[in-house]
Amino acid sequence: MAHATEHAFASTQKTFKTASGKAGRYWSLKELAKRHPNVDKLPVSIRIVLESVLRNCDGQKVTAEHVEQLANWAPNAERTEEIPFVVTRVVLQDFTGVPLLADLAAMRSVASRLGKSPKTIEPLVPVDLVVDHSVMVDYYGTPKALDLNMKLEFKRNNERYQFMKWGMQAFDTFGVVPPGFGIVHQVNLEYFARGVYKSPTDKSSAPTWYPDSLVGTDSHTTMINGIGVVGWGVGGIEAEAAMLGQPVYMLTPDVVGFELTGKLREGVTATDLVLYVTSILRGEKVVGKFVEFFGPGAASIAVPDRATIGNMAPEYGATMGFFPVDEMTLAYFRGTGRTADEVERFEAYYKAQGLFGMPAPGELHYTKVVKLDLGTVSPSLAGPKRPQDRIDLGHLATKFTELYSKPNEANGFNRPADTLKQRFALTRGGVDTDREAPAPRAGAPRELVEMVANRSTKAAAHTAATAPPAPTGQVSIGNGDVLIAAITSCTNTSNPSVMLAAGLLAKKAVEAGLKVKPHIKTSLAPGSRMVTEYLEKAGLLPYLEKLGFYLAGYGCTTCIGNTGDLTPEINEAITANNLIGAAVLSGNRNFEARIHPNIKANFLASPPLVVAFAIAGNVMVDLMTQPVGKGRKGQDVYLGDIWPTPQEIDDNLRFAMNAKAFRQNYEQIKDEPGKLWSSIKGTRGQVYDWPKSTYIAEPPFFEGFKMEPHAADAGFTGARIMALFGDSITTDHISPAGSIKESSPAGIWLKANGVAKADFNSYGSRRGNHDVMMRGTFANVRIKNLMIPAGADGSREEGGLTLYQPGGEKMFIYDAAMKYIAEGVPTVVFGGEEYGTGSSRDWAAKGTQLLGIKAVVARSFERIHRANLVGMGVLPLQFRGADSWESLGLAGDETIDVVIGGELRPQMDVKIVVHRADGSHQEVTVRLRIDTPIEVDYYRHGGILPFVLRQLLAG
Ligand code: SF4
């Protein structure tokens, strides 16, 4: 065991020199390899984590054994060891950042009440928050949309932004990128990431440098893996621990190598590729694993495309989708405005460590190797309910038709097949069957390459861009109609090749005389201002605008469900006729009710396909064989006619890599953050004074806090079942981010507190107020609690309801929870596979805890949500083998005992006893999904936050 004051691997510290002769020190992996030769063959991502473990080896939190264990990582070993990973920095988005700031502020309040210095609570690493999740698409299709949406955003979120300003002055290393700059992952890619970092305490002439690494409070933090940075999404509670100096603990991961060969064919985009990768890796079951890309195909992929693939790691279930640093990474750094000094040091450091360059096949050891020839990828969409359900573009029409009448369990919409083609007039009601779907072109090509080759229309003369035409005549809507078309999301809007492709397609479409129907909600919401900068310079923005894609905001918008509402007529037509309307968006998530509560079919697609489907107007138009629309002279225009060539995209890429423009843009964060942001006045002081607010309130997690934790819990008895859920319950089902219904417990509470319906804002924006969030837990309008018996037609009631026991009275889950808590009755939730899948959302665990739920028993858990449950002191219990709540025959009126025999240990067996109303009982053994020793400590302390607070205050 190393002594706390003496570094056990001091001899591995070496010096490196940059090309211009500047010296720096580093903890050398090559030196470590002299003792542990295995190191040279480790996956690059593991070696970067190993460097952190080596550098931070202090004999206490990180020991010599930790270094040795990871240095001897074996591709197929049993994974029982935990790695303490100290990260370089933390990034936050505002939905998760505000509750995190509220927790930090609450910790300071506790410190102050206990007579300690509030400054004991201070982030130890740089923390950057980007305000990106709040802007909504209230206005669209007008040149004023951005301005109007931002004004509304500031009006709605004034109290939250004041609170952030308090945080900026109270904490030394806490920075905020104000609204209107971009999405956190793109800003991270373009600006925060600086390659290598210098120890802030090392003031010597040759300071110690180390690689960038981070955790972020957003699942898609993995986008940063595209530039060789190790990082992933964690819940806010884990991020808090990381910023307060705790290592991020994880089980040593398997690393799946993904060998890419070949080249993408013409017409195939990075979006198509990532949908392919997602569906392949879903099948490979990579949950909890690192995925590392290598091989000649990986080396040939542009950095923004790598970032797009890294971005969707949560959709394929991996912890990361990592690309090593190479020449392309350096070129990206230069093109996005990093200084010559930074790039030079970045290169020198990675070369000194032997971490530079894309590994060739066979060079490194991986747990398993998956292969893909890029030439086999074809244009796709994914949906209508899950991102991993990839559909070839040419099969979309058939797929939608099939799913229309398939049962819900088969991912269908359960509608009578003979109603598929019905149409409903918006203004006068009733059925309108006039409109026929366009007929397929005889012998039309179905293959992409032929589709691209089949360009019948030569570019027409330049057409000046104007606003979209006013609606003429009767508007009718039907099943499959595209009602929302959104160029949105960090996944794609950071990628110049697909954004320029959308602009070029729009240009050709406008020139051919194609239009988008004005009732379709069209929006353009890039992840950074740089996108509109290069679209403008390339002369393409006016064409997107002409098709209705006016700039609506720089932020998440539709991707996070901030779609804004549809018109009352459209909402009414959908709900009155049970229409399956469609959204086509360039996002990465399409779970039920995420995009809009009334849009049930949500398809993820590349930005150019979003534009194409907006023009086509219905997802049953087969764009491989049918025209996208009619041109100016009534001629059929096909997708192949307007799809941009690779050369056209390449010619415009020069506008996207302008180092000076990047630098100028990001300098404005400090110099010109915008009038709206400058006018926000935050309170001052080290301790927050918690003014009355329906947005920010002191969270109750530290109520009755004492320096000694409560005695360890040995299980509980007589628990009631709060819910029985099926598979794939997402964090959005558990804690929705979107709109708040007036009749829901949260809506009722807001109204009782003087908030008008128009000012409800979203759940996501109210995560700083536990009163709203508790009431919003399990409040997704599409969640189905299977305790409630099915209707006569087999359909299930949707919404956050339960049967309160005994007696079985139907009520909101929140109301039942308050009754159970008042009676001192513990509760449990049962789920199926992939419980807690989707976005990292700590409120999904915080809300569960505040509703008095003591355990969640499921067939499997999503990685982050499982950790968050433990972090909030809720037991995750996993069924073994084929066991499930269905196999136990649970109906919901049973009582449950959870029996933990002996001392709490990671992954131990736990007994569940089911007591039935007839007096019988049944036992089943489940696995405790507290996975690591440190998690046992967290649980014993009642969660991560009390654990960390006790450590800080004791220190
Ligand atoms: S995935 Fe969507 S909601 Fe999440 S950060 Fe990206 S744009 Fe925002």
PDB file of all heavy atoms in Angstrom, residues 583-603:
ATOM      1  N   ALA A 583     -43.770  13.583 -36.529  1.00  0.00           N
ATOM      2  CA  ALA A 583     -42.718  14.599 -36.440  1.00  0.00           C
ATOM      3  C   ALA A 583     -41.484  13.997 -37.106  1.00  0.00           C
ATOM      4  O   ALA A 583     -41.205  12.811 -36.948  1.00  0.00           O
ATOM      5  CB  ALA A 583     -42.412  14.925 -34.985  1.00  0.00           C
ATOM      6  N   VAL A 584     -40.769  14.818 -37.876  1.00  0.00           N
ATOM      7  CA  VAL A 584     -39.486  14.401 -38.430  1.00  0.00           C
ATOM      8  C   VAL A 584     -38.459  15.380 -37.903  1.00  0.00           C
ATOM      9  O   VAL A 584     -38.609  16.599 -38.087  1.00  0.00           O
ATOM     10  CB  VAL A 584     -39.509  14.396 -39.976  1.00  0.00           C
ATOM     11  CG1 VAL A 584     -38.180  13.903 -40.516  1.00  0.00           C
ATOM     12  CG2 VAL A 584     -40.631  13.511 -40.487  1.00  0.00           C
ATOM     13  N   LEU A 585     -37.472  14.854 -37.198  1.00  0.00           N
ATOM     14  CA  LEU A 585     -36.519  15.753 -36.544  1.00  0.00           C
ATOM     15  C   LEU A 585     -35.117  15.165 -36.604  1.00  0.00           C
ATOM     16  O   LEU A 585     -34.956  13.948 -36.684  1.00  0.00           O
ATOM     17  CB  LEU A 585     -36.928  15.988 -35.085  1.00  0.00           C
ATOM     18  CG  LEU A 585     -36.931  14.791 -34.153  1.00  0.00           C
ATOM     19  CD1 LEU A 585     -36.536  15.227 -32.755  1.00  0.00           C
ATOM     20  CD2 LEU A 585     -38.318  14.171 -34.096  1.00  0.00           C
ATOM     21  N   SER A 586     -34.140  16.043 -36.536  1.00  0.00           N
ATOM     22  CA  SER A 586     -32.758  15.549 -36.613  1.00  0.00           C
ATOM     23  C   SER A 586     -32.203  15.326 -35.212  1.00  0.00           C
ATOM     24  O   SER A 586     -31.038  15.592 -34.953  1.00  0.00           O
ATOM     25  CB  SER A 586     -31.887  16.526 -37.397  1.00  0.00           C
ATOM     26  OG  SER A 586     -31.869  17.785 -36.765  1.00  0.00           O
ATOM     27  N   GLY A 587     -33.049  14.862 -34.306  1.00  0.00           N
ATOM     28  CA  GLY A 587     -32.631  14.618 -32.926  1.00  0.00           C
ATOM     29  C   GLY A 587     -32.212  13.177 -32.710  1.00  0.00           C
ATOM     30  O   GLY A 587     -32.007  12.414 -33.663  1.00  0.00           O
ATOM     31  N   ASN A 588     -32.094  12.812 -31.447  1.00  0.00           N
ATOM     32  CA  ASN A 588     -31.642  11.464 -31.140  1.00  0.00           C
ATOM     33  C   ASN A 588     -32.599  10.715 -30.231  1.00  0.00           C
ATOM     34  O   ASN A 588     -32.364   9.589 -29.858  1.00  0.00           O
ATOM     35  CB  ASN A 588     -30.265  11.523 -30.479  1.00  0.00           C
ATOM     36  CG  ASN A 588     -30.247  12.535 -29.362  1.00  0.00           C
ATOM     37  OD1 ASN A 588     -31.176  12.577 -28.563  1.00  0.00           O
ATOM     38  ND2 ASN A 588     -29.225  13.360 -29.294  1.00  0.00           N
ATOM     39  N   ARG A 589     -33.664  11.359 -29.829  1.00  0.00           N
ATOM     40  CA  ARG A 589     -34.601  10.731 -28.906  1.00  0.00           C
ATOM     41  C   ARG A 589     -36.009  10.920 -29.455  1.00  0.00           C
ATOM     42  O   ARG A 589     -36.348  12.015 -29.906  1.00  0.00           O
ATOM     43  CB  ARG A 589     -34.527  11.395 -27.520  1.00  0.00           C
ATOM     44  CG  ARG A 589     -33.198  11.150 -26.811  1.00  0.00           C
ATOM     45  CD  ARG A 589     -33.336   9.972 -25.868  1.00  0.00           C
ATOM     46  NE  ARG A 589     -32.068   9.368 -25.522  1.00  0.00           N
ATOM     47  CZ  ARG A 589     -31.337   9.647 -24.444  1.00  0.00           C
ATOM     48  NH1 ARG A 589     -31.729  10.602 -23.638  1.00  0.00           N
ATOM     49  NH2 ARG A 589     -30.252   8.982 -24.185  1.00  0.00           N
ATOM     50  N   ASN A 590     -36.805   9.880 -29.398  1.00  0.00           N
ATOM     51  CA  ASN A 590     -38.162  10.010 -29.926  1.00  0.00           C
ATOM     52  C   ASN A 590     -39.150   9.245 -29.071  1.00  0.00           C
ATOM     53  O   ASN A 590     -40.145   8.745 -29.563  1.00  0.00           O
ATOM     54  CB  ASN A 590     -38.223   9.533 -31.383  1.00  0.00           C
ATOM     55  CG  ASN A 590     -37.555   8.184 -31.579  1.00  0.00           C
ATOM     56  OD1 ASN A 590     -37.032   7.610 -30.641  1.00  0.00           O
ATOM     57  ND2 ASN A 590     -37.583   7.676 -32.786  1.00  0.00           N
ATOM     58  N   PHE A 591     -38.838   9.130 -27.768  1.00  0.00           N
ATOM     59  CA  PHE A 591     -39.741   8.397 -26.891  1.00  0.00           C
ATOM     60  C   PHE A 591     -41.112   9.070 -26.874  1.00  0.00           C
ATOM     61  O   PHE A 591     -41.237  10.260 -27.144  1.00  0.00           O
ATOM     62  CB  PHE A 591     -39.181   8.364 -25.471  1.00  0.00           C
ATOM     63  CG  PHE A 591     -37.792   7.808 -25.415  1.00  0.00           C
ATOM     64  CD1 PHE A 591     -36.784   8.494 -24.773  1.00  0.00           C
ATOM     65  CD2 PHE A 591     -37.497   6.597 -26.018  1.00  0.00           C
ATOM     66  CE1 PHE A 591     -35.495   7.985 -24.725  1.00  0.00           C
ATOM     67  CE2 PHE A 591     -36.211   6.080 -25.977  1.00  0.00           C
ATOM     68  CZ  PHE A 591     -35.205   6.777 -25.332  1.00  0.00           C
ATOM     69  N   GLU A 592     -42.088   8.261 -26.456  1.00  0.00           N
ATOM     70  CA  GLU A 592     -43.472   8.737 -26.442  1.00  0.00           C
ATOM     71  C   GLU A 592     -43.587  10.058 -25.685  1.00  0.00           C
ATOM     72  O   GLU A 592     -43.053  10.198 -24.590  1.00  0.00           O
ATOM     73  CB  GLU A 592     -44.346   7.712 -25.741  1.00  0.00           C
ATOM     74  CG  GLU A 592     -44.585   6.466 -26.568  1.00  0.00           C
ATOM     75  CD  GLU A 592     -45.353   5.433 -25.786  1.00  0.00           C
ATOM     76  OE1 GLU A 592     -44.965   5.162 -24.645  1.00  0.00           O
ATOM     77  OE2 GLU A 592     -46.335   4.916 -26.322  1.00  0.00           O
ATOM     78  N   ALA A 593     -44.306  10.969 -26.275  1.00  0.00           N
ATOM     79  CA  ALA A 593     -44.667  12.258 -25.658  1.00  0.00           C
ATOM     80  C   ALA A 593     -43.474  13.169 -25.418  1.00  0.00           C
ATOM     81  O   ALA A 593     -43.612  14.204 -24.814  1.00  0.00           O
ATOM     82  CB  ALA A 593     -45.426  12.060 -24.348  1.00  0.00           C
ATOM     83  N   ARG A 594     -42.273  12.794 -25.902  1.00  0.00           N
ATOM     84  CA  ARG A 594     -41.139  13.685 -25.690  1.00  0.00           C
ATOM     85  C   ARG A 594     -41.225  14.914 -26.601  1.00  0.00           C
ATOM     86  O   ARG A 594     -40.962  16.030 -26.178  1.00  0.00           O
ATOM     87  CB  ARG A 594     -39.822  12.952 -25.947  1.00  0.00           C
ATOM     88  CG  ARG A 594     -38.607  13.881 -25.820  1.00  0.00           C
ATOM     89  CD  ARG A 594     -37.325  13.104 -25.768  1.00  0.00           C
ATOM     90  NE  ARG A 594     -36.161  13.969 -25.854  1.00  0.00           N
ATOM     91  CZ  ARG A 594     -35.185  14.005 -24.949  1.00  0.00           C
ATOM     92  NH1 ARG A 594     -35.250  13.252 -23.885  1.00  0.00           N
ATOM     93  NH2 ARG A 594     -34.140  14.773 -25.109  1.00  0.00           N
ATOM     94  N   ILE A 595     -41.561  14.677 -27.849  1.00  0.00           N
ATOM     95  CA  ILE A 595     -41.523  15.775 -28.818  1.00  0.00           C
ATOM     96  C   ILE A 595     -42.758  16.660 -28.667  1.00  0.00           C
ATOM     97  O   ILE A 595     -42.666  17.876 -28.607  1.00  0.00           O
ATOM     98  CB  ILE A 595     -41.415  15.213 -30.259  1.00  0.00           C
ATOM     99  CG1 ILE A 595     -40.202  14.281 -30.367  1.00  0.00           C
ATOM    100  CG2 ILE A 595     -41.360  16.328 -31.292  1.00  0.00           C
ATOM    101  CD1 ILE A 595     -38.876  14.877 -29.944  1.00  0.00           C
ATOM    102  N   HIS A 596     -43.912  16.038 -28.632  1.00  0.00           N
ATOM    103  CA  HIS A 596     -45.168  16.763 -28.397  1.00  0.00           C
ATOM    104  C   HIS A 596     -46.188  15.737 -27.912  1.00  0.00           C
ATOM    105  O   HIS A 596     -46.252  14.632 -28.465  1.00  0.00           O
ATOM    106  CB  HIS A 596     -45.639  17.438 -29.693  1.00  0.00           C
ATOM    107  CG  HIS A 596     -46.831  18.320 -29.485  1.00  0.00           C
ATOM    108  ND1 HIS A 596     -48.116  17.837 -29.392  1.00  0.00           N
ATOM    109  CD2 HIS A 596     -46.926  19.652 -29.307  1.00  0.00           C
ATOM    110  CE1 HIS A 596     -48.956  18.846 -29.182  1.00  0.00           C
ATOM    111  NE2 HIS A 596     -48.251  19.961 -29.123  1.00  0.00           N
ATOM    112  N   PRO A 597     -46.990  16.099 -26.904  1.00  0.00           N
ATOM    113  CA  PRO A 597     -47.910  15.080 -26.353  1.00  0.00           C
ATOM    114  C   PRO A 597     -48.870  14.500 -27.384  1.00  0.00           C
ATOM    115  O   PRO A 597     -49.309  13.352 -27.235  1.00  0.00           O
ATOM    116  CB  PRO A 597     -48.679  15.837 -25.263  1.00  0.00           C
ATOM    117  CG  PRO A 597     -48.066  17.177 -25.133  1.00  0.00           C
ATOM    118  CD  PRO A 597     -47.037  17.364 -26.213  1.00  0.00           C
ATOM    119  N   ASN A 598     -49.184  15.250 -28.434  1.00  0.00           N
ATOM    120  CA  ASN A 598     -50.168  14.745 -29.399  1.00  0.00           C
ATOM    121  C   ASN A 598     -49.560  14.100 -30.642  1.00  0.00           C
ATOM    122  O   ASN A 598     -50.290  13.646 -31.519  1.00  0.00           O
ATOM    123  CB  ASN A 598     -51.106  15.874 -29.836  1.00  0.00           C
ATOM    124  CG  ASN A 598     -52.078  16.223 -28.727  1.00  0.00           C
ATOM    125  OD1 ASN A 598     -52.356  15.384 -27.857  1.00  0.00           O
ATOM    126  ND2 ASN A 598     -52.570  17.442 -28.725  1.00  0.00           N
ATOM    127  N   ILE A 599     -48.241  14.115 -30.727  1.00  0.00           N
ATOM    128  CA  ILE A 599     -47.613  13.509 -31.912  1.00  0.00           C
ATOM    129  C   ILE A 599     -47.062  12.154 -31.510  1.00  0.00           C
ATOM    130  O   ILE A 599     -46.136  12.055 -30.718  1.00  0.00           O
ATOM    131  CB  ILE A 599     -46.466  14.409 -32.454  1.00  0.00           C
ATOM    132  CG1 ILE A 599     -47.014  15.780 -32.875  1.00  0.00           C
ATOM    133  CG2 ILE A 599     -45.755  13.738 -33.622  1.00  0.00           C
ATOM    134  CD1 ILE A 599     -47.833  15.788 -34.131  1.00  0.00           C
ATOM    135  N   LYS A 600     -47.645  11.115 -32.115  1.00  0.00           N
ATOM    136  CA  LYS A 600     -47.286   9.769 -31.659  1.00  0.00           C
ATOM    137  C   LYS A 600     -46.192   9.107 -32.491  1.00  0.00           C
ATOM    138  O   LYS A 600     -45.584   8.148 -32.045  1.00  0.00           O
ATOM    139  CB  LYS A 600     -48.534   8.888 -31.657  1.00  0.00           C
ATOM    140  CG  LYS A 600     -49.528   9.359 -30.602  1.00  0.00           C
ATOM    141  CD  LYS A 600     -50.606   8.344 -30.359  1.00  0.00           C
ATOM    142  CE  LYS A 600     -51.491   8.816 -29.217  1.00  0.00           C
ATOM    143  NZ  LYS A 600     -52.767   8.160 -29.170  1.00  0.00           N
ATOM    144  N   ALA A 601     -45.980   9.566 -33.727  1.00  0.00           N
ATOM    145  CA  ALA A 601     -44.945   8.947 -34.569  1.00  0.00           C
ATOM    146  C   ALA A 601     -43.820   9.956 -34.758  1.00  0.00           C
ATOM    147  O   ALA A 601     -44.021  11.003 -35.382  1.00  0.00           O
ATOM    148  CB  ALA A 601     -45.532   8.553 -35.919  1.00  0.00           C
ATOM    149  N   ASN A 602     -42.666   9.647 -34.188  1.00  0.00           N
ATOM    150  CA  ASN A 602     -41.554  10.601 -34.240  1.00  0.00           C
ATOM    151  C   ASN A 602     -40.356   9.937 -34.898  1.00  0.00           C
ATOM    152  O   ASN A 602     -39.856   8.932 -34.399  1.00  0.00           O
ATOM    153  CB  ASN A 602     -41.204  11.057 -32.818  1.00  0.00           C
ATOM    154  CG  ASN A 602     -42.380  11.768 -32.171  1.00  0.00           C
ATOM    155  OD1 ASN A 602     -42.714  12.888 -32.531  1.00  0.00           O
ATOM    156  ND2 ASN A 602     -43.031  11.100 -31.229  1.00  0.00           N
ATOM    157  N   PHE A 603     -39.936  10.500 -36.028  1.00  0.00           N
ATOM    158  CA  PHE A 603     -38.853   9.889 -36.786  1.00  0.00           C
ATOM    159  C   PHE A 603     -37.597  10.747 -36.728  1.00  0.00           C
ATOM    160  O   PHE A 603     -37.657  11.958 -36.958  1.00  0.00           O
ATOM    161  CB  PHE A 603     -39.279   9.679 -38.242  1.00  0.00           C
ATOM    162  CG  PHE A 603     -40.374   8.653 -38.372  1.00  0.00           C
ATOM    163  CD1 PHE A 603     -41.711   9.045 -38.456  1.00  0.00           C
ATOM    164  CD2 PHE A 603     -40.071   7.296 -38.355  1.00  0.00           C
ATOM    165  CE1 PHE A 603     -42.717   8.095 -38.546  1.00  0.00           C
ATOM    166  CE2 PHE A 603     -41.084   6.344 -38.446  1.00  0.00           C
ATOM    167  CZ  PHE A 603     -42.408   6.740 -38.535  1.00  0.00           C
TER     168      PHE A 603
END
